[in-house]
Amino acid sequence: MLRRWIWKAGLASLAVAVACAVLFPGRVEAKANFDSPYTLAQTYNAALRLVRVDMGLTVTEKDPGVAYVLFDYKSTESGARVVPGSIQMLDTGRSIKVVVQLGQMRATTEQVVIDSLAKKLRDEYGDPAPRSSRRDTPDAGPDASSPWTESIW
């Protein structure tokens, strides 16, 4: 009797879980990123032109100071549905970290945008100029040459 009740309860739980998964599918939140060897200004301007001109999408918000572009993504894959998208950029010192997010789209779609941006940067700016490292200046540690580090003893 107890086994039958446990079996029925387990079966009922499984049925509820399957029904919830079918009726209330979760949002897919993926993102793709890459490191751009170009300057922040070059990367931002190329991303803005890619979204607005090349892809013909509507830019909903942009800020060059913080380096992000928000846009409405519409493709043949999504039909008539408009999906919010964003391209965010961050200067890490060695490169520009670019993150593309297209809510409710496959990660492959985000990767296509990344690949298009990388190609656009190469086509428009050529080979990137070498970036200087922020560590070019010596550290002011005890081994730095300074008259104050010499011992008087």
Side-chain angles (χ1 to χ4, degrees):
M1 174 89 170
L2 183 59
R3 280 189 192 179
R4 183 184 289 171
W5 182 83
I6 291 173
W7 188 78
K8 285 183 181 180
L11 188 59
S13 297
L14 179 62
V16 168
V18 169
C20 286
V22 170
L23 295 175
F24 307 107
R27 285 182 45 176
V28 176
E29 292 287 336
K31 61 183 172 183
N33 60 62
F34 85 108
D35 292 325
S36 170
Y38 298 89
T39 66
L40 182 60
Q42 289 173 323
T43 305
Y44 174 81
N45 290 328
L48 184 60
R49 287 191 311 276
L50 174 74
V51 169
R52 183 115 193 220
V53 178
D54 298 349
M55 299 175 79
L57 302 175
T58 303
V59 173
T60 57
E61 190 176 335
K62 62 183 178 174
D63 188 345
V66 184
Y68 72 88
V69 178
L70 302 180
F71 55 93
D72 290 333
Y73 183 80
K74 184 177 176 184
S75 75
T76 56
E77 189 177 312
S78 62
R81 182 176 60 146
V82 175
V83 176
S86 69
I87 301 177
Q88 304 158 6
M89 290 145 275
L90 176 68
D91 191 350
T92 64
R94 295 183 183 180
S95 65
I96 304 300
K97 181 80 154 180
V98 180
V99 179
V100 174
Q101 289 183 299
L102 296 172
Q104 304 169 357
M105 297 298 291
R106 295 180 184 166
T108 55
T109 307
E110 294 167 340
Q111 190 60 47
V112 167
V113 174
I114 291 257
D115 294 343
S116 298
L117 179 57
K119 182 181 182 322
K120 184 171 189 66
L121 284 163
R122 262 191 325 275
D123 291 348
E124 291 186 2
Y125 297 112
D127 291 332
R131 293 181 61 130
S132 64
S133 173
R134 291 183 183 178
R135 289 286 184 183
D136 285 347
T137 58
D139 188 8
D143 58 340
S145 61
S146 167
W148 308 109
T149 59
E150 296 177 12
S151 174
I152 58 171
W153 305 106

